[in-house]
Amino acid sequence: MQRTLQGRNLIEPLDFSVDELEGLFDLSMRVMKDPGSFAKKCAGRLLATLFYEPSTRTRFSFEAAMLRLGGQVIGFSGEQSSSAAKGESIADTVRTVACYADIAVIRHPKEGAPRVAAQNADIPVINGGDGGHQHPTQTLTDLLTVRKEKKRLAGLRVGLCGDLKFGRTVHSLIKALARYEGMEFFLISPEELVVPEYVRNDIRNGNDSRYTEVTRMQDVLPQLDILYMTRVQKERFFNEEDYVRLKDSYILDADKMKLAPADMIVMHPLPRVNEISTEVDADPRAVYFKQAKNGMYVRMALILSLLGAENGSGENTVPILSREEVKSWK
Ligand code: NCD
């Protein structure tokens, strides 16, 4: 199943079919149960991390994933340390990186930048987050977490709370979840931070999914299977005043958790600022740090699949030059 992913890109959440995702999640679980047997699968392979925006989890989990597979990593964090600072285009940077690495992950403030990168590289390119648009590998993390914690990916009541306008993790997660049957979304946000219309359309075009938009978290908390909290995306605001006014719109604390069902789970892509009080961390329903850990395993499965390395011994590294190219040089 995963073999079909070899050589592909992951730019947006629907790039892989539901069946392909199942294969990826099965592989993630196998890696999680027996990491030792995957420890050399990517020996001799190189991952490039091109991060034009800040990141902790996405970059580190990709790097940790590749290192735990026996591969190696090159990259930059912040465009000031790459030739982008000299005015180089993404297309040229990626074309160059593709000469050195076997696979690349790119995070960029401009929506669509990873697609441009993929069009200009002959190695698999992964979108590590593009502006306020999409974040498909966070979605893999989220879906794997839901599958593990709720034992199903259908008929779930999912509350998404916070910055639904700029939150790319929310946009990608909704798009991906709406493909599963009978999902019910509760979109909890201030008026100013409601989801973009295209996200509502993703729900309308889903597999019998519905949505309700509300401003008060307490009104829907008792009905939820999943509460997905998000940070107000400071870096996407045009003025500081609006951010300051909206940043503490929702704070999940122990009192509010009393309204939630005993089997509801609380997710968050992290980083959190104030939106989940630290007292909630000890609640067994809080799964956001488990979610971060799942992120590394699903990225291990993703790298294995895109490189076609899941069944390999790790001995057969990708030759930098093909046999024909070497011959023609002699
Ligand atoms: C998210 C992101 O970068 O969009 N973080 C992450 O990758 N886990 C969420 C956020 O920054 O709020």
Side-chain angles (χ1 to χ4, degrees):
M1 181 68 62
Q2 297 83 33
R3 203 156 270 292
T4 62
L5 297 184
Q6 185 172 353
R8 304 239 305 256
N9 304 307
L10 176 59
I11 305 301
E12 69 119 330
L14 303 194
D15 281 348
F16 300 164
S17 70
V18 168
D19 283 349
E20 285 167 344
L21 288 181
E22 275 309 297
L24 200 62
F25 298 144
D26 286 344
L27 180 59
S28 311
M29 299 301 284
R30 277 169 45 212
V31 174
M32 210 177 287
K33 284 194 188 113
D34 183 16
S37 68
F38 293 88
K40 292 202 172 101
K41 295 278 188 198
C42 287
R45 308 289 183 100
L46 203 51
L47 165 79
T49 55
L50 317 180
F51 277 66
Y52 295 82
E53 269 196 339
S55 169
T56 300
R57 270 145 297 268
T58 304
R59 187 165 67 88
F60 287 167
S61 64
F62 263 113
E63 296 189 356
M66 192 51 159
L67 295 171
R68 286 180 184 279
L69 293 168
Q72 288 176 296
V73 181
I74 53 171
F76 58 80
S77 181
E79 65 174 338
Q80 285 316 313
S81 55
S82 82
S83 280
K86 302 180 188 169
E88 186 174 50
S89 69
I90 294 166
D92 284 0
T93 300
V94 164
R95 249 173 128 152
T96 307
V97 166
C99 300
Y100 311 144
D102 302 294
I103 184 166
V105 49
I106 174 168
R107 167 171 287 191
H108 201 280
K110 282 210 186 92
E111 310 192 341
R115 187 168 303 284
V116 172
Q119 283 160 354
N120 286 279
D122 52 5
I123 58 172
V125 172
I126 301 166
N127 177 2
D130 60 327
H133 190 218
Q134 301 286 343
H135 193 346
T137 67
Q138 180 63 45
T139 298
L140 296 180
T141 303
D142 299 342
L143 294 179
L144 177 64
T145 304
V146 172
R147 192 175 177 266
K148 275 178 72 194
E149 300 293 328
K150 303 304 293 181
K151 312 279 181 253
R152 67 184 196 276
L153 274 170
L156 290 164
R157 285 161 302 177
V158 186
L160 299 113
C161 177
D163 187 345
L164 308 188
K165 179 178 180 186
F166 297 118
R168 56 193 173 195
T169 63
V170 166
H171 304 160
S172 284
L173 181 59
I174 291 177
K175 195 166 191 169
L177 281 175
R179 268 203 301 194
Y180 296 94
E181 204 182 328
M183 303 296 297
E184 191 167 357
F185 298 99
F186 296 89
L187 309 175
I188 312 159
S189 76
E191 297 282 348
E192 291 97 324
L193 298 178
V194 295
V195 289
E197 186 58 18
Y198 76 85
V199 175
R200 286 190 203 97
N201 280 332
D202 289 337
I203 303 178
R204 291 183 195 116
N205 296 332
N207 186 356
D208 189 25
S209 40
R210 281 169 291 163
Y211 68 91
T212 312
E213 294 185 83
V214 298
T215 50
R216 258 173 55 93
M217 185 200 296
Q218 293 90 318
D219 293 345
V220 296
L221 213 41
Q223 307 174 51
L224 300 179
D225 296 307
I226 298 166
L227 174 62
Y228 192 94
M229 295 295 296
T230 62
R231 169 181 74 91
V232 175
Q233 306 280 296
K234 181 179 184 190
E235 64 276 33
R236 316 258 178 247
F237 277 69
F238 293 110
N239 70 69
E240 173 86 11
E241 238 171 76
D242 286 347
Y243 170 70
V244 170
R245 185 166 48 80
L246 294 168
K247 72 182 170 63
D248 291 328
S249 299
Y250 302 99
I251 298 177
L252 183 67
D253 57 17
D255 266 350
K256 292 201 188 76
M257 284 300 285
K258 289 185 191 142
L259 299 172
D263 62 350
M264 184 192 85
I265 56 169
V266 183
M267 297 174 66
H268 192 309
L270 303 176
R272 94 174 121 189
V273 185
N274 279 331
E275 59 280 358
I276 303 181
S277 155
T278 51
E279 68 195 15
V280 177
D281 297 358
D283 190 311
R285 294 170 288 182
V287 302
Y288 28 89
F289 287 106
K290 281 194 209 168
Q291 191 183 344
K293 192 164 186 178
N294 291 337
M296 180 182 73
Y297 291 111
V298 85
R299 288 178 174 105
M300 288 172 83
L302 179 66
I303 293 170
L304 285 167
S305 303
L306 298 184
L307 289 179
E310 71 273 27
N311 298 318
S313 62
E315 304 295 316
N316 307 324
T317 62
V318 175
I320 302 285
L321 292 178
S322 69
R323 238 175 262 273
E324 286 65 35
E325 278 175 304
V326 174
K327 264 191 219 147
S328 72
W329 275 32
K330 278 183 182 160

